[in-house]
Amino acid sequence: MDARRGGEAAGGGAGDVAGERGRLLNVAYRLLGSLVEAEDAVQEAYTRWYGLAPARRAAVVVPGAWLTTVTARICLAVLGSARARRERYVGTWLPEPLPGAPDGGPGAAPEDPAARIVRDESVAMAFLVVLEAMTPAERVAFVPHDVFRYPFADIADVLGRSTAACRRLASSGRRRIGAAGGTGPVPLAERAAIVRQVKEAWESRDIPALVGLLDPAAVMTADGGGLAGAALRPVEGAAAIARYMVALADRAPGLVLRLGEVNGLPGLVASRDGVVRTVAAFALRAGRVDRIWVIRTPEKLGPWAREAAAQGAARGTSRRAPRAARGHGVRAARGHPVRAARSIPRARSSRPLFPAFAPGRPLAPARSPPGLPHRHARCRGGRSGARGAVRNVRIGGARMFRWKMPELPPAGGTLRNLMTASRTSGRGR
């Protein structure tokens, strides 16, 4: 990642710099486990590049190496802060799943960042979950060297450590990978067959069949982020997982399962009304499902919504993506606590809130508690509508009631003038 290495071809043109975006996204996604954060890190690297003076940019022999170094440093800083954020995360944080690579058809979206990620064993969900257990320094030393074959001398420049220290960090990362108990490569056809059997057993609510497909020590981990229903703790044991899956199927009518590619391997995608709600990834051991990772956080399913929209466009139909998948609420995907969206819409009715406050009828006098003058009344805010403003008024902090203001308030519009006019009109009646 040395920006002045002479062994690489020099090129400082705008086209050469822009062509590095795909490789930078691949590095950042494997370092961060989040496509949203990877996009931000790459964009920040480009911002710093174009923020350099022209003379400094011209002095960089290999812009791609400079951008890689800066991107890795940004990822290192993000990983340091992400550990604290994810401690406050609701439930278990899982990496963001990736849909299958586009096939270049009419529905493909080459500009989609997810389309730039190379699907190989280094983006498998099992691999990314193990990376989450590494320290930020271990991850930055292990991924660039073992996955992208960068020399330790360049990684030492990123971490600010010696080459020997970077070798030890990468070695520690390899031990974590080995301790995770990988089972070696499994043919895709075998994986797809097992996942298909899980799908069929889930659809038929066949608990014995599910137990037979799961390893006795299987573990299912779900990520809802506090925005979607999910188990807050891992579900352990084949029988417990099977019962949980059947109960979930009973409580989610209309959910449609289909086989799909999840991070380069066969998985399951659940949708309702054409909108992707859940993505599940699987790890196998000895012909049985050993690990299940379920992602339900809406912000992490953005690429899947774009994939569904692209497929709908190819078929001549389209469906609007959910709000979270359209780029709203990115804070939750980054581990920030967010407030759940309003689930019950406000009721709209043509009738007034209270019959006594019907339009065209004068306001009833505002009465204070005994011994409390009107000057203690204060407005508590409200909302406006076609029939005027509705206000909540608190009298001396003792009680609250709602009233309707006339369409043409008295001159000045103050609360005291309004209450005086209401009292006068009430006495006149």
Side-chain angles (χ1 to χ4, degrees):
M1 286 183 264
D2 186 359
R4 301 179 182 276
R5 241 179 346 190
E8 300 183 19
D16 297 332
V17 172
E20 298 290 336
R21 182 176 291 272
R23 183 174 58 84
L24 297 177
L25 276 172
N26 276 274
V27 174
Y29 175 74
R30 288 162 176 81
L31 286 176
L32 300 175
S34 169
L35 187 59
V36 174
E37 293 180 344
E39 291 179 75
D40 290 346
V42 173
Q43 188 60 37
E44 175 64 21
Y46 274 101
T47 300
R48 296 184 186 183
W49 167 258
Y50 288 111
L52 294 176
R56 292 192 60 186
R57 286 205 302 267
V60 177
V61 179
V62 185
W66 188 94
L67 287 169
T68 305
T69 301
V70 173
T71 301
R73 288 173 177 169
I74 295 172
C75 292
L76 179 63
V78 172
L79 286 171
S81 61
R83 294 178 70 89
R85 293 199 308 270
R86 290 169 188 172
E87 288 179 356
R88 302 189 300 269
Y89 194 77
V90 179
T92 304
W93 191 94
L94 291 176
E96 183 177 336
L98 292 177
D103 54 5
E111 70 279 1
D112 189 351
R116 299 174 179 263
I117 305 298
V118 177
R119 273 68 168 176
D120 56 19
E121 64 276 4
S122 64
V123 297
M125 188 61 65
F127 186 80
L128 295 177
V129 169
V130 177
L131 291 181
E132 284 297 315
M134 297 184 183
T135 65
E138 287 176 345
R139 196 164 181 171
V140 174
F142 172 80
V143 171
H145 179 267
D146 286 42
V147 177
F148 296 96
R149 302 303 177 187
Y150 285 109
F152 282 119
D154 295 348
I155 299 173
D157 185 37
V158 175
L159 292 175
R161 306 192 184 192
S162 64
T163 303
C166 292
R167 286 196 180 95
R168 289 193 293 270
L169 288 171
S171 178
S172 176
R174 293 188 204 101
R175 288 195 297 270
R176 291 181 185 270
I177 296 291
T183 58
V186 179
L188 287 179
E190 180 181 349
R191 287 180 177 272
I194 295 176
V195 174
R196 185 179 297 106
Q197 293 174 21
V198 172
K199 170 183 174 294
E200 294 171 353
W202 185 86
E203 290 176 333
S204 61
R205 276 69 163 173
D206 192 344
I207 293 180
L210 285 172
V211 172
L213 293 169
L214 298 172
D215 188 271
V219 178
M220 184 181 71
T221 306
D223 179 358
L227 302 176
L232 297 180
R233 295 180 179 84
V235 182
E236 301 180 353
I241 295 174
R243 290 193 299 268
Y244 180 88
M245 294 175 66
V246 171
L248 181 63
D250 293 336
R251 288 196 295 265
L255 204 63
V256 179
L257 279 181
R258 66 174 176 86
L259 291 174
E261 182 180 322
V262 181
N263 286 59
L265 296 175
L268 290 179
V269 181
S271 59
R272 179 186 295 169
D273 299 330
V275 179
V276 176
R277 305 291 185 179
T278 305
V279 173
F282 299 84
L284 306 182
R285 180 193 297 271
R288 291 187 175 186
V289 176
D290 179 52
R291 292 288 187 274
I292 304 176
W293 297 280
V294 180
I295 297 92
R296 305 201 67 228
T297 306
E299 284 76 11
K300 295 185 179 182
L301 301 179
W304 298 85
R306 293 192 290 268
E307 180 200 36
Q311 293 176 355
R315 295 191 301 266
T317 60
S318 62
R319 180 179 294 272
R320 183 176 177 87
R323 177 178 180 181
R326 297 197 303 267
H328 299 276
V330 178
R331 292 174 58 82
R334 300 181 184 178
H336 294 287
V338 297
R339 185 174 57 185
R342 183 186 297 271
S343 58
I344 303 177
R346 288 184 177 181
R348 296 183 180 273
S349 174
S350 59
R351 297 182 302 172
L353 294 176
F354 297 96
F357 300 146
R361 184 173 181 178
L363 282 170
R367 303 184 181 277
S368 301
L372 188 63
H374 281 286
R375 65 174 177 270
H376 291 283
R378 59 181 183 272
C379 180
R380 297 285 294 182
R383 57 185 177 87
S384 298
R387 296 182 178 272
V390 178
R391 292 288 186 265
N392 294 336
V393 177
R394 183 180 295 275
I395 302 298
R399 56 184 296 195
M400 177 184 292
F401 60 89
R402 308 183 73 171
W403 65 344
K404 185 167 179 55
M405 298 172 63
E407 280 70 8
L408 296 176
T414 62
L415 181 61
R416 178 174 297 180
N417 291 341
L418 180 60
M419 296 178 66
T420 303
S422 301
R423 186 168 59 253
T424 303
S425 60
R427 291 174 180 172
R429 290 173 58 92

